Amino acid sequence: MKKIPVVEITLVILGSLLYFLANMQRVAVPGAVFTLLQTDLHTTAQNIASLGASFMYVYAVTQLFIGILIAKYGGFRVVSIGAVLFFTGSLLFPLANSFVFLYLSRILIGIGSASFYLAMINETRKIVSHKNFGIALSFVLLIGYLGGIIANAPIVICINHLGWRKVFLLTAIISTVIALLFILINKFADKQPVNNTVHLNFDLYKQVFSDKRNIRLYLFACLNYALYYVIQTVIGKKFLEDFCSMTVINSALILSIMGFLYAVSGSVIAFMSKLTLNRRTIYLRFASLNTLFTFSSIFICLVFNIKNPIIPVILFCTIAFWASLSPLLVPLLHDINGEKVSSSAVSVMTCGFYLGVGLLGNVVGFCLDLFKNTGAYLTIFAVCTALAVIACLNVFKIEESAKTKRILHYVKNHGKIAPEDNTKHWHDKYEHDLYNNV
């Protein structure tokens, strides 16, 4: 009987909690506290947007190195270092009294947070089998994504009672406790030998960018993610308040609902993919079309001055549900690139995610300062609609991985499986062929 890796599972859970706190930091600043920070610090919208963008840029660039560091030292070692930087930045943020220290705190939080995502993917893959990887990963990410829920309505309510500094200080203390607990338990884990054959070079990234399949996937995935996440973390709450005249609490509640939908939908979409024999492209295409419909519809509302909040609320919720595509994108990148290159391929995608969010966040801040009221939002949503078109053009060039194609070909030649026959008996019968010989 195979020994259950209790220590490793515990570390993955703690790492997921750190990812939860990282998501909370990422979504809350500036999104949930945009107007509050701008008023309290007496500064421009561009400066507040840049505060969030600084996190995104650092997080993005760090991803390019994290993949190599994980391959060399193992995910748990990398998280241990990242956790120290994360809780240090978390403690500094509520204590900072100048923009220099505010930016420094976001940079430290960004570097620390960058280690959690890829490390949890790497270590989860070691614990579970290939056929269950997508489902297991979706649950790990679910824990992390729940931070986006707490980062809106709950944190806004707490800030209204305690002030933003006290709330973020309490969050920092919790982060410190979990980080130290992770470091302590990691001492009892089976240590992965340092892989001295892995060096800090960009040869693997050259292989990644030499494959056109990766380029097409990145152009879709990074744009699609940035378009959703700039709503969640930068402009969504402010837009609902400014254009739709929603209250601070109600707009924060909508963003929390978006965070909830984003958190749970990854597991739902992964399960749907598994039921359809790991088909992925059909869901990616639908998600891209939904993003295009969302931004073009809001742009039309702005053109005709339709201020009914129900329309953007429904559209924001649909884009949130179909934005959680990592449980499909990560296994697809693993299948396309193979074991040696896959971690680098995922790190490039993650880098693109947050570079896109950072750049789009800066565009949003620039537009808010340059134009007034509706004019700013018209410009923002026009740009977003154009980017959604580019993402949509590329998603239809993405094909299923060769592994999935072979599975589908096998099933086609051995009898079509109706949904009601897609049972455990059938999976037991064909599991060896499907997951080992294919």
Side-chain angles (χ1 to χ4, degrees):
M1 183 176 179
K2 187 177 179 180
K3 182 181 177 182
I4 299 176
V6 176
V7 173
E8 286 73 17
I9 291 174
T10 303
L11 288 172
V12 167
I13 293 172
L14 289 173
S16 301
L17 291 175
L18 288 171
Y19 187 49
F20 165 90
L21 292 162
N23 271 299
M24 195 181 75
Q25 289 276 1
R26 186 165 57 208
V27 173
V29 182
V33 292
F34 195 113
T35 304
L36 180 63
L37 285 176
Q38 187 177 0
T39 302
D40 189 46
L41 299 173
H42 307 288
T43 189
T44 64
Q46 179 66 61
N47 281 339
I48 299 301
S50 295
L51 195 61
S54 64
F55 175 102
M56 301 300 177
Y57 290 139
V58 170
Y59 189 98
V61 173
T62 306
Q63 295 300 315
L64 298 176
F65 302 96
I66 288 294
I68 295 174
L69 292 174
I70 289 173
K72 187 178 182 68
Y73 298 106
F76 292 144
R77 286 195 185 99
V78 173
V79 170
S80 295
I81 301 299
V84 174
L85 297 174
F86 177 73
F87 78 70
T88 302
S90 299
L91 289 168
L92 179 60
F93 181 70
L95 301 175
N97 290 312
S98 69
F99 264 99
V100 173
F101 287 106
L102 283 172
Y103 280 119
L104 177 60
S105 71
R106 303 313 293 174
I107 289 170
L108 290 173
I109 292 172
I111 296 173
S113 299
S115 67
F116 304 150
Y117 175 72
L118 286 178
M120 290 307 100
I121 291 175
N122 184 73
E123 298 302 332
T124 300
R125 197 179 185 208
K126 293 177 182 177
I127 294 172
V128 301
S129 62
H130 174 271
K131 65 177 181 178
N132 293 318
F133 176 50
I135 295 292
L137 176 62
S138 70
F139 282 108
V140 170
L141 296 180
L142 170 62
I143 297 173
Y145 294 159
L146 290 174
I149 301 172
I150 303 299
N152 284 290
I155 206 168
V156 168
I157 293 171
C158 291
I159 287 172
N160 285 343
H161 288 86
L162 300 174
W164 70 270
R165 291 187 186 274
K166 288 183 179 179
V167 170
F168 280 98
L169 181 59
L170 178 60
T171 301
I173 293 171
I174 295 172
S175 302
T176 303
V177 171
I178 295 176
L180 293 176
L181 188 59
F182 182 97
I183 294 169
L184 176 64
I185 295 178
N186 187 39
K187 294 183 179 295
F188 300 97
D190 292 334
K191 295 296 184 294
Q192 173 183 318
V194 176
N195 188 349
N196 291 316
T197 63
V198 177
H199 302 288
L200 193 61
N201 62 65
F202 291 93
D203 289 342
L204 294 178
Y205 296 115
K206 291 179 182 178
Q207 294 182 48
V208 170
F209 284 108
S210 66
D211 193 326
K212 291 182 179 179
R213 295 175 297 175
N214 290 328
I215 303 299
R216 292 165 183 162
L217 187 147
Y218 291 152
L219 282 171
F220 154 69
C222 297
L223 286 175
N224 194 75
Y225 183 85
L227 288 167
Y228 158 70
Y229 219 63
V230 81
I231 295 294
Q232 180 73 49
T233 66
V234 181
I235 196 63
K237 181 174 176 290
K238 185 172 176 60
F239 172 76
L240 293 175
E241 294 169 12
D242 292 349
F243 184 73
C244 302
S245 300
M246 292 185 67
T247 66
V248 172
I249 296 298
N250 285 342
S251 60
L253 179 61
I254 298 304
L255 271 291
S256 283
I257 293 172
M258 288 176 64
F260 173 78
L261 291 171
Y262 181 82
V264 301
S265 64
S267 301
V268 175
I269 295 171
F271 186 68
M272 291 164 60
S273 174
K274 186 175 176 66
L275 285 180
T276 53
L277 299 177
N278 286 333
R279 284 183 175 90
R280 301 180 181 112
T281 57
I282 185 173
Y283 305 107
L284 300 181
R285 290 170 182 176
F286 185 87
S288 186
L289 289 170
N290 178 65
T291 300
L292 177 58
F293 177 76
T294 294
F295 283 95
S296 59
S297 297
I298 295 178
F299 178 73
I300 291 171
C301 288
L302 287 161
V303 170
F304 293 98
N305 202 33
I306 302 172
K307 296 189 175 184
N308 189 334
I310 295 177
I311 297 173
V313 165
I314 293 174
L315 292 173
F316 282 2
C317 289
T318 59
I319 195 177
F321 182 87
W322 284 101
S324 186
L325 299 175
S326 288
L328 303 185
L329 294 169
V330 171
L332 184 56
L333 281 174
H334 277 277
D335 288 349
I336 290 173
N337 294 279
E339 186 174 351
K340 183 180 179 181
V341 186
S342 58
S343 291
S344 297
V346 174
S347 68
V348 169
M349 182 180 71
T350 309
C351 173
F353 280 171
Y354 296 101
L355 275 179
V357 177
L359 290 169
L360 199 50
N362 281 142
V363 170
V364 166
F366 176 77
C367 290
L368 289 173
D369 283 335
L370 184 64
F371 304 102
K372 297 298 181 183
N373 302 323
T374 304
Y377 291 114
L378 269 170
T379 307
I380 290 167
F381 280 93
V383 171
C384 290
T385 301
L387 294 176
V389 171
I390 297 173
C392 203
L393 291 173
N394 280 278
V395 76
F396 282 91
K397 297 178 183 179
I398 299 173
E399 298 180 353
E400 298 287 1
S401 68
K403 184 176 290 186
T404 297
K405 286 181 179 179
R406 289 196 293 269
I407 291 174
L408 295 173
H409 180 73
Y410 180 93
V411 172
K412 181 179 179 180
N413 289 312
H414 288 76
K416 186 176 180 180
I417 306 301
E420 61 269 18
D421 295 325
N422 194 15
T423 60
K424 185 178 184 301
H425 171 75
W426 184 85
H427 281 292
D428 288 343
K429 180 180 179 182
Y430 292 102
E431 185 180 74
H432 182 271
D433 289 332
L434 287 174
Y435 294 105
N436 295 311
N437 289 348
V438 176

